[in-house]
Amino acid sequence: MTETKRRFVDLTPLKVSPAFARLWIGAGLSGIGAQMTIMAVGLQIFDITHNTFLVGLVGGIALIPMLFAGPWGGMLADSQDRRTVILGAITVSFISTLGLVALSVTDAGLEANGSSVAVWPFYVFTTISAMAYIISGAARMAVYPRILKLEDVPKANALSGISMGIQYTVGPALAGVLVATSGFTVTFMVDMVLMLAGFFGVFTLPKIPPLHDAVAKGWDGIKQGLAFLRTAPNIRTSFLFDIIAMGLGRPYAVLPAVAATVIGGGPTTVGILTAAAAVGTFSTSVLSGPVARINHFGLAIGRAITVYGAFIALFGVVVLFGMLGAFGQVGNTWSEVNVLGLSLAALCFVGMGASDEVSAIFRSTILMTAAPDEMRGRLQGVFYSVVAGGPRLGDLFTGLMAVSIALWAPALIGGLGIMVLITVLLRTNKRFRNYDNRTPEL
C-alpha cells in the first residue's frame, strides 16, 4: 500500500527489526503491569485516607526527583551501553514494586484491627519507580534510531502509541477489577509477573554502546546536554507545549472521588475512564497511516493540544452537572453507577487520548530525527522528565484545585487554560508553527 493511500498503522518496524519487535512486545506487557500499579496505588491511598489531595500528592512528591532522573538517565544512555542502562532501571522498578506488595500485605493485616499503614512509604516506592521508568524510557527511545532506519522512526512512534494505548486500556481496567475482586496485593504481584516480559525484551537486545567518545560522563555530561538544548528552540517549544497540556490537563487524581460521589461505580468506574483515554490513544495509533502525509508538525501539535484542552474542559462540565444533581443518587459500588454520566465522561476521555496521541507522535519524531545520536539519550531524558513530570505537576494542580474549589474545577479551568495558552503560543512562535518535517530543524 502506498503512503498516499495508507489508512492504518505501518507495521514495517516490526517486520524489519526483530530486536524492535521484542522490545515493543516486552515494553507493552510490562507497561500493562505498571499502569495497574499506578492505578492501584491511587486507589489504596484513597481507601486509606479518603483524601483526593493525598492521591494527587503521589505525583507532586515524585516531581523533583523525576526531573533530575531524566537528564541523569539520558547522560547514562549516551555514555554507557543503552541495553545495560535499561536492564538496571527495570531491576530497580521490580524491587520497588516488591516493596508495594509488602506494604499492601501489612495494610491488609492491620485493617483487621481497624487501622492501616502510613501512606508515606507509598510515595517513596512510587517515586523510585517513576525515576526508574524515566531512565529506562530515555534509553529505550534512544535505541530506536539505532535499530531502525530513520524513515521508520515515525512508524515506530505510532506503534509505540498502540502499545501505550493497550497499556493504558488494559492496565487500569484490570487494576479496577483486581482491586475490587482480589485486593491490592494481588494487583501488585501481577505487575511483577508482567515485568518479566520487559526483562526479556531488553535482555535479547544487542549491545548498543556509544558511537562517540566525546560524550562526557557525570555532571559534565548533563551540562553538555542542557547546553545543547539551548541551541534547539523547536525541541524546547515542543517540551513547553507538553508541560502546558499535562500540567493543566490531568484530571485523573479526582477520579476516585468522582467515581464515589458524582458518577458512581467506585474503582471499576475509575478503571473504565482511565481505559477510555487509552482507547482514544490506541484508535489514533491504529489509524495513523495518514501521519506520513503530514509535514507541518508544529501546526499539527498545536491544534491537537488545543482539541485536547477542549475535551478536558468538557469533562469538567460533566462533573459540574453531576455535582448539581443531574445524575441522581450514586454510590461507590458498580450497582450504583449512573450510566449516562459514565458514558459522557468516557467520551471525554476517549477524545483526550486521541488528541494527545496525535501530538505525541509528532513531538517524538521531531526529537528523534532532528537530534544527533550522541545527544539523543540526554534529550530523551529531558523529554521523559517532561512527559512523566508534567503529569505529576498536573496531579498536584488537580489535587489543589479540587480541595480549594471543587471536583469540577481542575478539568474545566485547566482545559480552558490549555486552549488559551496554546493558541497564543502558536500564533506568536512562527518558527515552531512552520516546522516542516522534510527539513528537520533543532
Side-chain angles (χ1 to χ4, degrees):
M1 182 181 293
T2 64
E3 295 295 348
T4 57
K5 296 181 179 180
R6 184 177 297 279
R7 292 291 181 270
F8 295 99
V9 66
D10 194 330
L11 302 179
T12 298
L14 295 175
K15 297 175 182 178
V16 302
S17 176
F20 173 79
R22 291 190 296 268
L23 185 65
W24 184 77
I25 293 171
L29 290 174
S30 62
I32 290 173
Q35 294 307 314
M36 287 172 51
T37 290
I38 291 171
M39 174 66 66
V41 166
L43 289 171
Q44 186 156 19
I45 290 177
F46 188 77
D47 182 65
I48 293 171
T49 67
H50 300 286
N51 189 311
T52 297
F53 174 72
L54 293 180
V55 176
L57 202 57
V58 173
I61 289 176
L63 179 59
I64 300 302
M66 291 171 69
L67 293 178
F68 173 77
W72 184 263
M75 178 275 297
L76 292 175
D78 283 341
S79 61
Q80 309 291 332
D81 174 48
R82 288 171 180 168
R83 173 178 173 271
T84 302
V85 172
I86 302 172
L87 285 173
I90 295 177
T91 301
V92 171
S93 184
F94 187 88
I95 294 172
S96 64
T97 304
L98 181 62
L100 290 172
V101 170
L103 197 60
S104 63
V105 169
T106 303
D107 184 65
L110 292 173
E111 190 175 13
N113 298 322
S115 59
S116 59
V117 296
V119 296
W120 67 264
F122 287 101
Y123 299 135
V124 173
F125 289 128
T126 53
T127 296
I128 292 172
S129 289
M131 294 174 68
Y133 169 79
I134 286 184
I135 293 172
S136 65
R140 183 183 290 109
M141 296 298 283
V143 163
Y144 286 5
R146 293 282 294 274
I147 60 177
L148 293 168
K149 296 179 180 178
L150 285 183
E151 59 264 30
D152 289 331
V153 170
K155 304 166 189 175
N157 287 331
L159 286 167
S160 294
I162 290 179
S163 177
M164 293 298 292
I166 293 173
Q167 294 170 37
Y168 282 90
T169 303
V170 177
L174 187 57
V177 172
L178 285 176
V179 168
T181 60
S182 303
F184 296 105
T185 301
V186 171
T187 306
F188 295 136
M189 291 180 68
V190 171
D191 177 18
M192 295 180 66
V193 173
L194 291 174
M195 206 177 297
L196 297 178
F199 275 110
F200 176 77
V202 178
F203 188 77
T204 56
L205 282 174
K207 290 185 178 297
I208 307 178
L211 293 178
H212 303 272
D213 297 329
V215 177
K217 295 180 175 63
W219 178 240
D220 288 338
I222 294 175
K223 289 192 295 183
Q224 194 178 62
L226 294 177
F228 182 83
L229 184 59
R230 287 196 291 270
T231 68
N234 284 321
I235 292 178
R236 291 200 312 271
T237 302
S238 72
F239 290 169
L240 175 61
F241 275 38
D242 191 59
I243 289 172
I244 291 171
M246 294 297 101
L248 297 178
R250 282 283 299 183
Y252 293 92
V254 300
L255 291 187
V258 168
T261 63
V262 179
I263 294 175
T268 305
T269 290
V270 176
I272 290 173
L273 291 181
T274 308
V279 169
T281 299
F282 180 83
S283 301
T284 296
S285 298
V286 168
L287 299 173
S288 62
V291 165
R293 302 196 297 272
I294 297 174
N295 294 303
H296 293 95
F297 281 14
L299 189 60
I301 291 169
R303 288 177 173 173
I305 296 178
T306 301
V307 172
Y308 176 81
F311 279 111
I312 294 286
L314 285 174
F315 174 67
V317 172
V318 172
V319 175
L320 176 59
F321 282 170
M323 294 181 70
L324 294 175
F327 305 139
Q329 291 292 114
V330 298
N332 199 39
T333 64
W334 180 243
S335 62
E336 298 173 291
V337 69
N338 181 277
V339 176
L340 175 61
L342 178 59
S343 299
L344 292 174
L347 286 174
C348 292
F349 274 79
V350 170
M352 288 157 50
S355 52
D356 182 54
E357 178 58 16
V358 172
S359 166
I361 291 173
F362 293 127
R363 287 184 289 105
S364 297
T365 301
I366 287 176
L367 184 57
M368 290 185 186
T369 57
D373 182 78
E374 66 270 20
M375 285 293 170
R376 282 193 186 117
R378 280 165 286 187
L379 293 180
Q380 287 290 346
V382 176
F383 175 74
Y384 261 80
S385 291
V386 171
V387 168
R392 268 64 183 185
L393 184 62
D395 290 342
L396 185 59
F397 167 81
T398 296
L400 287 171
M401 293 289 286
V403 171
S404 60
I405 302 178
L407 289 177
W408 58 263
L412 183 54
I413 295 174
L416 293 175
I418 290 170
M419 296 171 68
V420 171
L421 289 173
I422 294 300
T423 299
V424 170
L425 288 173
L426 201 60
R427 289 183 177 180
T428 56
N429 192 330
K430 182 177 179 180
R431 179 180 180 133
F432 185 76
R433 186 178 69 245
N434 294 334
Y435 184 93
D436 192 323
N437 190 55
R438 289 167 294 190
T439 55
E441 293 181 291
L442 291 169

